[in-house]
Amino acid sequence: MPQNPLRYIIHADLDAFYAAVEQHDNPELRGQPVMVGGRPDGRGVVATASYEARKFGVHSAMPMATAVRHCPDGIIIRPRFDRYRAVSAQVMAVFRSVTDVIEPQSLDEAYLDITPAAALRAPLAIAIDIKERVAQETGLAISVGLATGKCVAKIASDLQKPDGLVVVPVGAEAEFLAPLPVGKLAGIGPKSAARLHADGVRTIGDLAQMPDDWFDRTFGKRGRSVRDHARGIDDSPVQTTRAAKSISSETTFGADISDAAELRAVVQQLSGKVADALASKDIAGRTVTVKIRLSDYTTFTRQQTLSDTTNDASIIATAAWMLLERELAPQRAFRLLGVGASGFSQPDRAGAKPLDDAPANQTPPAYQLALPVDG
Ligand SMILES: [Mg+2]
């Protein structure tokens, strides 16, 4: 067997998921600027904005008070997570009919390794089939990227949203990536992108051409993986539920933040993502972690173990905020914030079996959920 056997990986991502569900369930909302999220008078944030609302500059993670200023006619809808979970289960069932190797990233997004199925049918036919069946069964549009690795598949799924289908031919990965802005690459946040721009590196193609030792100097330990990703090389496996021992979501700020209300809104948003990811895997976590990077790059984590496991966004957010609030200080600015959950079990349910029978001391491959800009 060759060392890097050819794989077909799909990244599938529902478009403006919560807002799309609301518009599907209530026809009066179709074509309207819908903003699903918290109250504008409190510290609520936008969880998902419909494409109509995005035209006004509204995006997920924006404080709802700001969203209302951008889009005064926006229709604010409180999230109905039970409904979103039910729709998610329908979508995941479509995925499972194609392959068992599925790595959900949140309620509306997953990687699928369709290599075995692709031995029998053209990968493109499988991708089209997934889109059609999700539309039939849920009435929702899903964007699909098809490539030989996760990193390229994810970029591809985002490229033609909404209702996109982007196929990156085998061997054309680097060529596909080359014209795209560096910021599209996983792990290149706004700060890194700005630094790269200053060095004249604007596209992923510019980045791919840099010498090997430059990557090590510029990105340290991440150098090799950034280099490989820029060149379209990504052998990382699609990890099914059993592999995950910790779920986290983090975001690097375009400009450092010191304002408590803003930080709190970010904690809410990240906690919602973590809760979604837990729910999509039908698990709950007992330990809540916040990851903090200060403006001087000092990085540390704080964690708290709860009395019970949870996948409730507000409980995770409350615990995370308690941890972060202790770290606030005048003059202290934050560059990056992450929220994570670990110590998993399945939520209590009659007949529920333990999720994971692997030895407890096995080293867990933790993975990151990137905070999607697009919802
Ligand atoms: Mg989505």
Side-chain angles (χ1 to χ4, degrees):
M1 198 153 119
Q3 209 183 351
N4 296 318
L6 178 61
R7 299 183 305 156
Y8 292 102
I9 307 294
I10 277 178
H11 181 260
D13 185 6
L14 290 152
D15 303 319
F17 179 46
Y18 302 163
V21 171
E22 298 301 338
Q23 288 179 319
H24 172 266
D25 290 0
N26 180 357
E28 286 179 14
L29 295 176
R30 293 181 198 165
Q32 302 293 323
V34 171
M35 310 188 294
V36 178
R39 297 174 192 283
D41 51 349
R43 286 168 168 164
V45 295
V46 177
T48 309
S50 72
Y51 284 92
E52 295 84 359
R54 292 176 194 197
K55 286 182 194 148
F56 293 87
V58 177
H59 57 77
S60 35
M62 176 181 271
M64 189 60 88
T66 310
V68 169
R69 281 200 298 277
H70 282 287
C71 184
D73 294 330
I75 302 167
I76 300 172
I77 309 269
R78 302 285 289 166
R80 296 181 299 149
F81 290 106
D82 288 347
R83 174 72 183 131
Y84 308 148
R85 274 193 271 275
V87 176
S88 174
Q90 288 179 292
V91 173
M92 295 294 164
V94 171
F95 296 164
R96 260 197 305 280
S97 71
V98 175
T99 177
D100 289 333
V101 187
I102 299 170
E103 179 178 331
Q105 295 292 97
S106 67
L107 283 182
D108 71 324
E109 186 186 337
Y111 292 102
L112 287 67
D113 186 337
I114 62 160
T115 309
L120 305 170
R121 292 170 71 197
L124 174 60
I126 296 171
I128 292 171
D129 192 39
I130 288 172
K131 285 175 65 68
E132 288 180 350
R133 287 177 53 208
V134 167
Q136 267 165 25
E137 288 179 30
T138 68
L140 302 181
I142 191 162
S143 290
V144 169
L146 169 63
T148 57
K150 288 164 75 176
C151 181
V152 174
K154 184 173 171 91
I155 291 171
S157 75
D158 190 53
L159 214 57
Q160 283 181 6
K161 268 178 168 293
D163 203 14
L165 173 60
V166 174
V167 178
V168 182
V170 177
E173 295 81 7
E175 191 186 332
F176 163 78
L177 294 174
L180 302 175
V182 274
K184 290 251 178 211
L185 206 60
I188 307 292
K191 288 264 171 177
S192 297
R195 234 174 36 229
L196 291 170
H197 286 178
D199 285 350
V201 176
R202 303 203 150 263
T203 64
I204 299 179
D206 294 338
L207 184 60
Q209 284 167 13
M210 300 305 279
D212 287 3
D213 58 335
W214 176 89
F215 284 94
D216 298 330
R217 285 202 309 276
T218 308
F219 295 100
K221 270 189 271 185
R222 299 198 298 132
R224 196 198 159 109
S225 107
V226 172
R227 185 194 71 198
D228 285 351
H229 285 173
R231 297 173 184 175
I233 299 163
D234 177 15
D235 293 333
S236 60
V238 174
Q239 293 181 337
T240 53
T241 307
R242 282 166 186 276
K245 290 288 201 311
S246 119
I247 285 177
S248 63
S249 180
E250 65 179 47
T251 186
T252 302
F253 307 126
D256 296 349
I257 297 182
S258 50
D259 180 69
E262 269 183 75
L263 290 166
R264 189 164 183 160
V266 174
V267 164
Q268 281 185 0
Q269 173 71 14
L270 295 173
S271 300
K273 288 284 159 196
V274 171
D276 278 3
L278 292 169
S280 71
K281 294 168 191 295
D282 201 19
I283 52 178
R286 197 184 178 100
T287 299
V288 173
T289 304
V290 293
K291 177 178 169 186
I292 292 165
R293 180 168 299 145
L294 302 174
S295 51
D296 63 0
Y297 281 91
T298 314
T299 305
F300 53 97
T301 61
R302 296 284 181 260
Q303 60 177 221
Q304 180 184 357
T305 298
L306 309 173
S307 57
D308 225 333
T309 60
T310 187
N311 57 21
D312 182 300
S314 65
I315 293 174
I316 295 169
T318 302
W321 177 245
M322 280 175 63
L323 293 166
L324 179 61
E325 202 173 20
R326 288 181 208 141
E327 305 300 331
L328 302 183
Q331 321 288 342
R332 198 171 229 198
F334 294 77
R335 172 175 293 264
L336 171 152
L337 206 54
V339 173
S342 56
F344 298 148
S345 69
Q346 270 187 314
D348 278 339
R349 212 178 317 109
K353 293 208 183 77
L355 175 73
D356 200 326
D357 46 17
N361 59 0
Q362 227 176 328
T363 313
Y367 69 88
Q368 298 291 337
L369 282 171
L371 180 67
V373 177
D374 270 328

